[in-house]
Amino acid sequence: MLFSRESWITNLIVSEILAAPKHNCPACGAQALWEPATQKLRCPFCGTVSQFEESVTGEIVENDLATALREIPQDKRGWSPTQVTVKCQSCQAISVFAVGRVAQRCDFCGSPALAPYTEVQAPIRPESLLPFKIPDSKVRETIRKWYGSHWFAPNKLKSRALTDTLHGAYLPYWTFDAQTHAAWTAEAGHYYFESESYRDSNGRTQSRQVRKVRWVPASGELDQFFNDELVSGSRGVPQDLLTKVEPFPTDDLAPYNAAFLSGWVVEQYQIDLFAAATHARSVMEQKLRQLCSREVPGDTQRNLSVRATFDQQTFKHILVPVWLLTYTYGSKNFVVVINGYTGRIAGHHPLSWIKITLVVLAILLIIGIIAATQQG
């Protein structure tokens, strides 16, 4: 087994890959950062734009799942050895930084309470990623429109247009492929109608059509190939928000290249390969059951049983881009997530109880007017 079954509940690990390797500006020598707007590296000091070598790790590979669950080679584990790891004492997040960079606050909660931390086991490195495509300027405008589209949010929220804490991050995902075969059995129900006599309230005999069901056994088989079923490995971002900003188009994945990560925060997975594969298989089984249910003839069905086999199971560990906005309103913290490739947005926001109360009172007033009109 790759990891212990309990390892998925370990603390959040966040890596900021700033030196693996560094991509220096050809003009001034400072570290160049990946810029989504130009899809190039740009120096934050002198503004020089430079290309990067794209073919670093070669083509994207589908890894055999059974082999990986037994053992992952050490050369596919770990980040750069020149790193220091700290743990947030507030949110328990674990951050990995390049040696020489001093972490002042936690990237996720902003707490300054950071303490040294020693990792138990080196993680599996990603072999492909989806680069940032949406620039921060467009994201900030999207957020302002998102604020304005929520009428029940406080007016102050829209006027503040809280975008000053916006930052990008690469999140860990797993993808799973499988060739499946499903054999199913069920009872197929066919509707038919019979005439039935009854007495109405006046004692007269009447007839009516009554629907009944004729049950007959049914069975069948189907084949289904699942391609790139996505499973999030993140614990740092609310899962409900990630689901809303999916999908991440895996057809556009690029081979892993540290240049894409230059200057960006990278979260290391907490949901390991075993847990992710188990979840993916459960999702595939549910989808297979739905597909088999559609194959059952007739008008209704019962006692559907599906026996599925899985073959050619493969996986990839990938990174996907998101923009994150975390802010505090009143005493509560809120998160907004934007897909860094497609621009889809989802988030949590406070509610204005004054607006909600006014709406409730307005509804009650309308109901009262309608009732008074009917009585009159």
Side-chain angles (χ1 to χ4, degrees), residues 358-370:
L358 290 175
V359 170
V360 171
L361 292 175
I363 293 174
L364 292 176
L365 179 61
I366 293 173
I367 293 174
I369 292 174
I370 294 175

Side-chain angles (χ1 to χ4, degrees), residues 245-360:
V245 301
E246 291 176 356
F248 294 93
T250 55
D251 288 343
D252 297 337
L253 285 172
Y256 177 84
N257 189 323
F260 289 123
L261 309 183
S262 186
W264 299 88
V265 172
V266 180
E267 180 187 358
Q268 188 171 294
Y269 62 82
Q270 279 195 99
I271 301 175
D272 67 16
L273 180 58
F274 179 87
T278 301
H279 178 76
R281 184 171 181 127
S282 176
V283 171
M284 292 179 191
E285 288 175 342
Q286 293 175 15
K287 292 183 177 181
L288 277 174
R289 186 175 181 83
Q290 294 172 356
L291 291 172
C292 291
S293 177
R294 297 172 188 171
E295 295 292 312
V296 180
D299 304 302
T300 186
Q301 60 185 260
R302 66 185 182 186
N303 299 329
L304 175 64
S305 176
V306 179
R307 299 182 305 279
T309 58
F310 290 74
D311 193 19
Q312 302 175 32
Q313 299 180 75
T314 61
F315 79 96
K316 296 189 298 293
H317 175 30
I318 68 173
L319 298 176
V320 300
V322 297
W323 288 98
L324 298 173
L325 176 68
T326 56
Y327 63 94
T328 301
Y329 195 93
S331 60
K332 294 184 178 180
N333 297 323
F334 299 91
V335 180
V336 180
V337 181
I338 303 92
N339 188 313
Y341 197 84
T342 66
R344 295 187 66 174
I345 185 173
H348 300 145
H349 62 84
L351 297 174
S352 171
W353 293 107
I354 295 177
K355 291 183 178 180
I356 294 175
T357 301
L358 290 175
V359 170
V360 171

Side-chain angles (χ1 to χ4, degrees), residues 33-337:
L33 309 180
W34 173 256
E35 187 177 60
T38 62
Q39 298 289 288
K40 296 178 181 179
L41 292 165
R42 179 184 292 274
C43 177
F45 297 97
C46 69
T48 299
V49 176
S50 57
Q51 299 283 357
F52 67 95
E53 186 180 348
E54 297 194 34
S55 300
V56 174
T57 58
E59 59 184 328
I60 299 171
V61 178
E62 295 283 351
N63 302 285
D64 183 74
L65 180 59
T67 301
L69 287 174
R70 289 193 295 269
E71 182 180 10
I72 287 288
Q74 288 301 316
D75 63 357
K76 291 183 178 292
R77 291 183 179 275
W79 302 97
S80 169
T82 57
Q83 293 173 328
V84 60
T85 307
V86 295
K87 181 177 181 179
C88 176
Q89 302 303 294
S90 178
C91 71
Q92 306 303 306
I94 301 175
S95 302
V96 183
F97 303 103
V99 172
R101 180 186 184 276
V102 180
Q104 301 294 335
R105 293 182 179 275
C106 173
D107 285 319
F108 277 75
C109 72
S111 171
L114 300 175
Y117 178 81
T118 302
E119 288 193 66
V120 177
Q121 186 175 17
I124 301 172
R125 284 196 305 273
E127 293 182 322
S128 57
L129 56 80
L130 195 64
F132 269 94
K133 186 177 181 180
I134 307 297
D136 62 341
S137 57
K138 185 175 181 179
V139 171
R140 293 177 191 279
E141 183 60 31
T142 299
I143 292 173
R144 292 188 183 95
K145 291 180 180 179
W146 180 81
Y147 283 144
S149 66
H150 292 80
W151 191 85
F152 284 110
N155 290 334
K156 290 183 179 179
L157 185 66
K158 182 169 59 176
S159 63
R160 291 176 184 175
L162 303 165
T163 61
D164 55 321
T165 62
L166 181 69
H167 63 280
Y170 280 98
L171 302 186
Y173 264 75
W174 304 94
T175 74
F176 295 92
D177 294 358
Q179 179 64 55
T180 64
H181 177 80
W184 59 267
T185 60
E187 291 182 79
H190 300 267
Y191 293 149
Y192 66 97
F193 293 86
E194 290 184 350
S195 296
E196 180 181 84
S197 298
Y198 71 100
R199 291 186 180 276
D200 61 19
S201 58
N202 296 320
R204 291 177 298 203
T205 300
Q206 303 285 353
S207 64
R208 60 188 173 190
Q209 293 292 105
V210 178
R211 191 182 74 180
K212 296 188 175 183
V213 182
R214 180 175 66 255
W215 296 103
V216 296
S219 62
E221 298 181 356
L222 63 82
D223 294 299
Q224 177 67 31
F225 179 71
F226 291 96
N227 181 48
D228 283 351
E229 284 291 322
L230 284 170
V231 178
S232 169
S234 172
R235 290 292 190 189
V237 180
Q239 188 59 49
D240 64 320
L241 298 184
L242 280 180
T243 300
K244 291 177 181 178
V245 301
E246 291 176 356
F248 294 93
T250 55
D251 288 343
D252 297 337
L253 285 172
Y256 177 84
N257 189 323
F260 289 123
L261 309 183
S262 186
W264 299 88
V265 172
V266 180
E267 180 187 358
Q268 188 171 294
Y269 62 82
Q270 279 195 99
I271 301 175
D272 67 16
L273 180 58
F274 179 87
T278 301
H279 178 76
R281 184 171 181 127
S282 176
V283 171
M284 292 179 191
E285 288 175 342
Q286 293 175 15
K287 292 183 177 181
L288 277 174
R289 186 175 181 83
Q290 294 172 356
L291 291 172
C292 291
S293 177
R294 297 172 188 171
E295 295 292 312
V296 180
D299 304 302
T300 186
Q301 60 185 260
R302 66 185 182 186
N303 299 329
L304 175 64
S305 176
V306 179
R307 299 182 305 279
T309 58
F310 290 74
D311 193 19
Q312 302 175 32
Q313 299 180 75
T314 61
F315 79 96
K316 296 189 298 293
H317 175 30
I318 68 173
L319 298 176
V320 300
V322 297
W323 288 98
L324 298 173
L325 176 68
T326 56
Y327 63 94
T328 301
Y329 195 93
S331 60
K332 294 184 178 180
N333 297 323
F334 299 91
V335 180
V336 180
V337 181

